[in-house]
Amino acid sequence: MAATSQPHQATYDAIVIGAGIQGSFAAYHLAQRHKDTLLLEQFILPHSRGSSHGQSRIIRSAYVQAFYARMMPDSFRLWQQLEAEAGTSLYRQTGLVLLGPVGNPELEGCRRSLGTNKVLDATTLAQRFPGLQLHPGEVAVWDSSGGVLFADRALRAVQDVFRRHGGTLRDGEKVLRIEPGAMVTITTTAGVYRAPRLVITAGPWTGALVAPLGLHLPLQPLRIDVCYWREKKPESPSMGRASPCFITLGLSQAPYSIYGLPAFEYPGLVKVCYHHGSPTDPEERDQASLGAPRPSVAILSSFISSYLPGLEPQPAVVETCLYTNTPDEDFILDQHPKFSNIIIGAGFSGHGFKLAPVVGKLLCELSLGEEPSHSIVPFAITRFPGVLRAAM
């Protein structure tokens, strides 16, 4: 047997906990700024235990909230920058259809965020995308910038470029203790590290990490069913790789949004998911009974029968993912209220991947004490009352 290695001890300019897409971009931006940065990940990479795995995510310009819409041009630019640095394609433009009832406030907000009147009626939609059916009283908004991000490839790319900029990535190291101070001390299962600034982007594990620091964030991890549906006629023009992404807003039979992506990941299988799930502990997400009811699948089956008749109404593959939701489903991007050199990025609520390049930049700027390049007022910890309690 190999001899047991000695615990690692080192000092860095910055430490980032959590090597999902948000933490990886925060580390990438810090390394670009010539900061000696350590990126810590509790699992061996690559892994599927959090929220950043899988082959695809939607990217779009349309957003209900104006502050996200204002961030998206910067996000597109930074994704393109990463593509150039990594020498690989990370985005495929398919366009995005947002559909819902005429006059729906969220749909109207998305239309306004695009700055042009890109509305498709049922006849126009059926001509352009015959696999997607509108019902009476419904309308579609077209976002031509929308498309698919190649998620796993993007995560590898940002981590590779981070290392190329001199960053250190250590996986398989679970953080055991955070000791605040002018130099923050991080004890892991394999070492002790110190830095004058810390960024925490630990997804559904964030709450447990910050609780000993006297911070009780209202974060709710959700177990999400990621469903893939078989095309009745494989590679049909209406439902294959050339079809657009879509998101529903305000449908009476779906209290939360339904979203879909073309058949990229599995040949002949279209990804259609419900933007909600079941509360879970991230350590116990796979302990759900195999026979337990899955209400999201029932909602999706009904939707597919009605709106996507080219797909079989029962899923061919069901995988799982984790969301970490805040009560208002907006992010947390802020300093710890007591320890200003500890920065927290959390609560991305199932819609953060597309914005990760900007989120990482904001977390980097916060950790360096700089003026953020976008307003972080909507992401303040203090919008939630009673989060700061006595630390241990």
Side-chain angles (χ1 to χ4, degrees):
M1 292 176 62
T4 303
S5 62
Q6 294 297 311
H8 297 281
Q9 298 193 39
T11 300
Y12 293 87
D13 295 329
I15 297 172
V16 179
I17 299 174
I21 195 65
Q22 312 294 349
S24 295
F25 262 111
Y28 159 92
H29 283 288
L30 283 161
Q32 275 195 323
R33 304 286 289 276
H34 308 292
K35 301 301 178 185
D36 185 14
T37 304
L38 171 65
L39 177 58
L40 290 169
E41 171 54 50
Q42 65 174 322
F43 299 112
I44 298 292
L45 293 169
H47 72 84
S48 58
R49 310 309 306 151
S51 303
S52 295
H53 66 282
Q55 300 301 314
S56 63
R57 297 290 190 280
I58 290 176
I59 186 169
R60 55 190 164 108
S61 295
Y63 244 111
V64 177
Q65 301 93 332
F67 50 86
Y68 290 125
R70 286 192 293 267
M71 294 163 71
M72 282 310 303
D74 200 11
S75 191
F76 273 104
R77 180 185 63 80
L78 289 168
W79 279 117
Q80 291 167 353
Q81 178 180 304
L82 178 61
E83 284 185 318
E85 287 188 86
T88 187
S89 172
L90 302 176
Y91 159 65
R92 180 170 295 176
Q93 187 172 1
T94 65
L96 171 78
V97 174
L98 299 113
L99 60 92
V102 173
N104 175 264
E106 290 183 304
L107 197 61
E108 282 297 301
C110 286
R111 183 185 62 78
R112 285 194 299 270
S113 75
L114 294 171
T116 55
N117 189 24
K118 300 181 179 179
V119 176
L120 308 178
D121 59 21
T123 302
T124 306
L125 185 70
Q127 289 171 346
R128 292 180 64 174
F129 309 113
L132 187 57
Q133 295 186 349
L134 279 180
H135 291 193
E138 295 174 350
V139 71
V141 172
W142 174 244
D143 179 354
S144 61
S145 73
V148 178
L149 286 170
F150 303 132
D152 278 348
R153 189 187 296 178
L155 187 59
R156 287 195 304 271
V158 69
Q159 291 169 357
D160 288 346
V161 175
F162 162 68
R163 283 188 290 243
R164 209 182 303 157
H165 283 292
T168 301
L169 173 55
R170 299 193 61 84
D171 60 355
E173 290 199 34
K174 184 178 178 67
V175 171
L176 303 176
R177 187 165 62 257
I178 300 170
E179 299 169 58
M183 290 292 286
V184 184
T185 301
I186 309 297
T187 302
T188 76
T189 48
V192 179
Y193 310 100
R194 293 177 179 84
R197 54 187 66 84
L198 170 67
V199 178
I200 300 174
T201 49
W205 290 271
T206 299
L209 276 177
V210 302
L213 303 175
L215 200 57
H216 291 256
L217 299 178
L219 299 173
Q220 177 59 68
L222 298 178
R223 179 182 181 274
I224 305 297
D225 291 323
V226 182
C227 301
Y228 299 83
W229 310 76
R230 193 175 307 281
E231 297 171 293
K232 292 178 178 177
K233 296 179 180 179
E235 295 298 325
S236 63
S238 61
M239 294 309 304
R241 293 164 64 91
S243 61
C245 300
F246 71 84
I247 298 174
T248 72
L249 296 168
L251 296 186
S252 59
Q253 66 268 51
Y256 298 89
S257 293
I258 293 170
Y259 63 92
L261 299 89
F264 285 128
E265 300 183 31
Y266 300 108
L269 299 185
V270 177
K271 183 176 180 179
V272 183
C273 306
Y274 191 44
H275 190 62
H276 194 63
S278 310
T280 190
D281 182 322
E283 301 288 353
E284 300 176 359
R285 61 182 271 189
D286 295 320
Q287 295 182 18
S289 169
L290 292 176
R294 297 181 119 149
S296 64
V297 175
I299 290 170
L300 290 169
S301 293
S302 174
F303 170 82
I304 281 168
S305 295
S306 185
Y307 286 83
L308 298 166
L311 301 182
E312 298 287 351
Q314 294 300 320
V317 175
V318 180
E319 300 172 346
T320 62
C321 188
L322 291 177
Y323 284 6
T324 306
N325 279 33
T326 61
D328 57 14
E329 296 188 14
D330 292 325
F331 310 159
I332 291 172
L333 307 173
D334 205 353
Q335 300 171 332
H336 188 292
K338 187 175 179 182
F339 309 114
S340 61
N341 60 343
I342 297 178
I343 309 302
I344 299 160
F348 296 100
S349 303
H351 66 105
F353 200 102
K354 71 183 78 64
L355 283 153
V358 178
V359 166
K361 183 169 74 166
L362 290 169
L363 294 172
C364 168
E365 291 163 346
L366 283 171
S367 73
L368 296 175
E370 298 176 355
E371 183 70 22
S373 51
H374 296 272
S375 172
I376 58 168
V377 171
F379 312 121
I381 287 173
T382 51
R383 74 185 192 271
F384 303 116
V387 295
L388 190 61
R389 304 178 191 177
M392 290 171 55

